[in-house]
Amino acid sequence: MFKRVLTFIFIGCASLTFAQLGGESTYQFLNLVSSPRQAALGGKIITNVDYDVTGALYNPATINIEMDNQLALNYVSYLGGISYGTAAYAYTWDRRLQTFHAGITYINYGSFDGYDLDGNATGTFTGNEAALSLGYAYNIPYTDFYVGANVKLISSKLEQYSSFGGAVDVGVLYINEDLNLNAAVTLRNMGYQFTTYAGQQEPLPFEVNFGLSQRLENVPIRWHLTLENLQKWPIARPNPARAESDLEGNQTQEKVGFFGQLIRHTIVGAEIFPEKGFNIRLGYSFRRGEELRIADQRDFSGLSFGIGLKLNKLRFSYTHARYTSASNTNFFGLQIDLR
C-alpha cells in the first residue's frame, strides 16, 4: 500500500511540473493561508497533528480523532480591501471509519468600477471565488505513516465571467513519537477546469511542500520548517527596482544565486506553549520577505506573530503578518468544541 502511495505521488509530481506560481495559473486563492495559527508560523505549516481542524485544509493527512466535532471559523482582512475566510469541521464516525473532514474557502475581491473601451462607465461589478473540500486520512497498518486526500469543487465568478473546476490534495505524514518529530509532504491542487472563463484552459496552482516540526523535550516549544513550492526551481526572479546603474548609465539586473533561490523556498516558525491554553507563535517567510522588502528600509516584511487563547470550549486566535510598509494583514479565528 505504501509503495502505491509513493508511486502515485511521484507520478503526480512528474505530470504537473508545468504548474506555476502567482499570476501564472487560475484559482490562486487555493494557496492562501488558511488560519491565524498557520499564518503566525509563517504560512503553509503542514505537520500539526492536534485539535486544529483548519490545518487539514492544507494537509489532509493530519486529519485525526482530536478534531472530532470541532468547528473553526476564520476571517482575514487582506490587502487592497480584499477579504477572505475559511471554515472547517470534522466528525468521527466510529473507531473503524475514523474521522471525516469538510472545509470551505471563500474570497471576496470587493467592488470595482467598470468602463468600456471608450472610457464610458458601465457600472460596478464584483468578483468572488469559493472552494468546498471533503477530506479523509488513513493510517497505513503497522506503520507510523498516514495518507490523506481532499477532494475540492471550485467556483469562480469575476465580473461577467465564471469558471468551475475540481482538484485533489494528497498528503503523507510521518509521526515519530519517540523524538516528538513530524514530517510531511503535500501535493496540492492537482485538478482541472471543467468550464473556463472565456474558452482558454488554464492550469491550477499546483504546489509541492515538505515540512518538519518537533516538540523539544525540555522546552515548551515546537519548531517548524517548511520548504514550499518544490515543484519549481528557480523560484526567484530579478526585481527591476533593484537594478544598479554605473556612471555611463548601463544597468545591471539583480542576480539571485543558488542560496538566494534556496532561501526563498524556506519558511520557519515556532510555537511557545503549544499544548497549553495560551500560545505564542512566531514565523518568517523568506520568499515574502525577499520579494516585498524595500531597499535601504527595515520594514520586517515576511515576519508574522500571533497568539492563541483557550477558554472552556472556545479557542481564539489572532495573527498580524507583515507584508510592506504600506499594508499588512490581520487574521482572526474562532474554534468551537461542539462535543
Side-chain angles (χ1 to χ4, degrees), residues 80-92:
I82 298 171
S83 62
Y84 77 89
T86 62
Y89 175 75
Y91 180 75
T92 301

Side-chain angles (χ1 to χ4, degrees), residues 64 153 179 183 190 218 311:
N64 65 90
L153 295 177
L179 298 177
M190 298 179 288
N218 298 314
L311 297 174

Side-chain angles (χ1 to χ4, degrees), residues 16-303:
L16 290 167
T17 52
F18 62 84
Q20 304 297 318
L21 296 177
E24 299 178 347
S25 58
T26 190
Y27 307 148
Q28 282 290 327
F29 78 104
L30 295 175
N31 285 336
L32 290 173
V33 177
S34 62
S35 71
R37 186 186 188 193
Q38 189 183 72
L41 296 173
K44 301 183 181 181
I45 299 303
I46 59 175
T47 52
N48 278 330
V49 184
D50 52 25
Y51 60 86
D52 188 359
V53 69
T54 314
L57 290 174
Y58 236 84
N59 183 7
T62 62
I63 298 173
N64 65 90
I65 198 169
E66 285 190 55
M67 296 180 179
D68 178 40
N69 249 337
Q70 300 292 318
L71 172 66
L73 303 170
N74 304 290
Y75 172 79
V76 184
S77 175
Y78 206 47
L79 308 173
I82 298 171
S83 62
Y84 77 89
T86 62
Y89 175 75
Y91 180 75
T92 301
W93 191 267
D94 57 30
R95 288 183 175 273
R96 183 174 66 87
L97 294 177
Q98 293 296 307
T99 306
F100 294 87
H101 182 275
I104 297 174
T105 301
Y106 176 82
I107 184 168
N108 186 341
Y109 296 106
S111 180
F112 301 87
D113 295 324
Y115 298 88
D116 62 19
L117 294 176
D118 297 320
N120 300 312
T122 59
T124 60
F125 64 92
T126 61
N128 55 75
E129 298 179 288
L132 171 65
S133 68
L134 298 175
Y136 182 74
Y138 175 74
N139 178 206
I140 299 175
Y142 310 110
T143 74
D144 296 320
F145 287 90
Y146 298 77
V147 294
N150 283 331
V151 177
K152 297 187 285 192
L153 295 177
I154 308 158
S155 174
S156 175
K157 183 172 178 57
L158 307 173
E159 208 250 350
Q160 62 178 319
Y161 302 98
S162 60
S163 175
F164 184 71
V168 175
D169 300 337
V170 175
V172 178
L173 174 71
Y174 169 72
I175 300 177
N176 187 318
E177 295 184 354
D178 294 331
L179 298 177
N180 285 321
L181 177 71
N182 296 349
V185 175
T186 59
L187 285 75
R188 307 188 69 253
N189 307 319
M190 298 179 288
Y192 187 78
Q193 268 187 306
F194 302 138
T195 61
T196 64
Y197 295 104
Q200 181 177 351
Q201 198 73 40
E202 299 174 83
L204 271 64
F206 174 68
E207 185 178 76
V208 178
N209 300 317
F210 170 78
L212 289 171
S213 70
Q214 185 181 37
R215 171 68 157 82
L216 299 182
E217 184 175 359
N218 298 314
V219 182
I221 294 177
R222 174 172 284 276
W223 60 260
H224 296 267
L225 171 67
T226 304
L227 300 178
E228 62 159 332
N229 284 296
L230 296 180
Q231 81 284 353
K232 181 174 182 178
W233 184 280
I235 196 175
R237 294 181 178 178
N239 188 336
R242 298 176 191 163
E244 296 182 355
S245 300
D246 59 20
L247 295 177
E248 298 177 355
N250 299 315
Q251 284 195 337
T252 303
Q253 295 296 324
E254 178 190 28
K255 292 184 179 180
V256 182
F258 175 83
F259 180 76
Q261 296 288 353
L262 176 63
I263 204 70
R264 283 169 169 80
H265 287 273
T266 306
I267 298 171
V268 294
E271 187 169 23
I272 306 173
F273 312 118
E275 299 169 358
K276 302 296 183 179
F278 178 73
N279 321 113
I280 300 173
R281 303 153 182 165
L282 300 169
Y284 188 77
S285 168
F286 285 90
R287 180 162 69 96
R288 194 171 79 223
E290 286 297 317
E291 291 180 352
L292 298 181
R293 69 179 174 87
I294 299 175
D296 302 323
Q297 284 191 23
R298 183 175 295 178
D299 56 7
F300 300 101
S301 297
L303 183 66

